[in-house]
Amino acid sequence: MLTRAEADDRLAQDAHRPRVIHTGQALVDLVIEVADLPARGQNLMADSVAEYAGGSVTVLLAAARVGARCLHAGAIGTGPYGDLIREALDADGIAASAPPVTTQDTGVCVVLIEPTAERTFVTTLGAEREITVESLASSDVQSGDLVCVTGYSLAVAQTRDPMLAWLATLPEEAVVVLDPGAAFAALPADVRDTMLARTDVWTGNAEEATDLLAVRSDRVEASVDESEREIVGHARALTPLMRAGAVTIVRDGAEGCAVHAHGESTYVPGFPQTPVDTNGAGDTHTGALLAGIAGGSTWVDACRRANAAAAIKVTRRGPTTAPTADEVEEFLRGR
């Protein structure tokens, strides 16, 4: 049992530990397992259906379960879906800073999962898009906090405009983390450039990196040495597009990821598994990665643990099944 002095010391340490704050969309994932995608206009019987808290919740759960202090700064609706989101956050001790949106419920993302674990999405818009500069400011971002922004927030004017306005008010020492998503490369150039100019950490998959480098080919050169993996070269090529000293992580599924930090590029091998559900694997990687950084790990070590967390996740159904710190440690001991 901790003494009073030890408990006070721990509370003081926690108070100064950076938080993982997510500004993105907390959605309910309606996950439907199917043998195949139906032909257009046709019907198909599902193998199973389930509802989970998803979107930004997946990142925060993954971070909290490996020890990070977490906060949700996005909007949550009023109704059964909003309740499901709040219950999932509460279960892992994650607060929501913004007041509930009382005019509508949270939206739904329909996720069709095939036997190969490939996913197809259809997303509705709901209360999660009702953000303002004031609602985001309820998070009270401090220097060192890790502030997550998703490219999907920038794809819709309703969330893009308040998001960019609020980011401009953050302390210079706040660490802005961009999870670009498939939407980012196709955004208007001025929106992309404004976001990249305030980005300290890029964490996305290989396709997202390739897409951005393709549209920015006039500004960067994605040179890849024959002896290194393509994602290593892409991580290095992305860095000049962002704030000075930015860190870039490029994931490649089961193959692992590459990280470019402090002028060095490193390939961090993954842990291939037989997947049953890849929905939420990338978000689990991001959450575990940022928890490691908030806890003082190096970027390479945080990436290795994030690779392990994502590997565990794909063996479990549902986006809310990120592993705990003990499970990640046990997994790594076996490797």
Side-chain angles (χ1 to χ4, degrees), residues 165-319:
W166 174 71
L167 288 174
T169 71
L170 295 185
E172 282 294 306
E173 296 78 13
V175 180
V176 175
V177 180
L178 175 61
D179 179 355
F184 189 76
L187 294 175
D190 62 324
V191 175
R192 290 199 314 264
D193 290 348
T194 299
M195 185 66 233
L196 291 172
R198 189 54 186 88
T199 296
D200 299 290
V201 179
W202 165 290
T203 176
N205 62 35
E207 184 177 359
E208 292 157 359
T210 299
D211 289 347
L212 180 61
L213 290 171
V215 299
R216 293 296 300 269
S217 59
D218 60 320
R219 299 274 297 274
V220 298
E221 181 179 353
S223 60
V224 180
D225 188 283
E226 290 183 0
S227 64
E228 67 183 10
R229 290 174 179 260
E230 185 177 48
I231 57 172
V232 176
H234 284 173
R236 182 170 58 248
L238 285 169
T239 304
L241 300 178
M242 296 165 229
R243 287 224 297 180
V247 174
T248 51
I249 297 96
V250 179
R251 303 186 304 270
D252 191 17
E255 296 301 310
C257 66
V259 56
H260 184 83
H262 311 302
E264 295 186 2
S265 301
T266 306
Y267 167 62
V268 186
F271 304 97
Q273 307 291 304
T274 301
V276 298
D277 181 5
T278 58
N279 184 29
D283 288 340
T284 296
H285 190 282
T286 297
L289 170 77
L290 298 181
I293 296 306
S297 295
T298 66
W299 285 100
V300 172
D301 187 54
C303 282
R304 182 169 182 265
R305 293 175 183 279
N307 287 350
I312 296 169
K313 160 63 201 81
V314 300
T315 65
R316 301 171 174 179
R317 284 181 165 81

Side-chain angles (χ1 to χ4, degrees), residues 1 20 51 75 84 88 137 154 206 215 222 261 264 296 324:
M1 184 175 179
V20 176
E51 289 181 345
L84 192 156
L154 307 174
V215 299
E264 295 186 2
T324 64

Side-chain angles (χ1 to χ4, degrees), residues 23-28 56 72-77 81 85 101 104-109 123-132 153 158-159:
T23 64
Q25 291 74 54
L27 292 160
V28 170
S56 58
H72 185 263
I76 303 174
Y81 291 146
I85 295 293
V101 175
Q104 61 179 318
D105 203 356
T106 288
V108 176
C109 179
T123 303
T124 67
L125 304 183
E128 72 286 345
R129 293 287 174 177
E130 298 290 335
I131 62 170
T132 64
S153 291
Q158 183 181 7
T159 44

Side-chain angles (χ1 to χ4, degrees), residues 97-123:
S97 62
V101 175
T102 59
T103 55
Q104 61 179 318
D105 203 356
T106 288
V108 176
C109 179
V110 179
V111 186
L112 300 179
I113 299 182
E114 300 170 70
T116 60
E118 185 59 60
R119 306 148 302 153
T120 302
F121 305 95
V122 179
T123 303

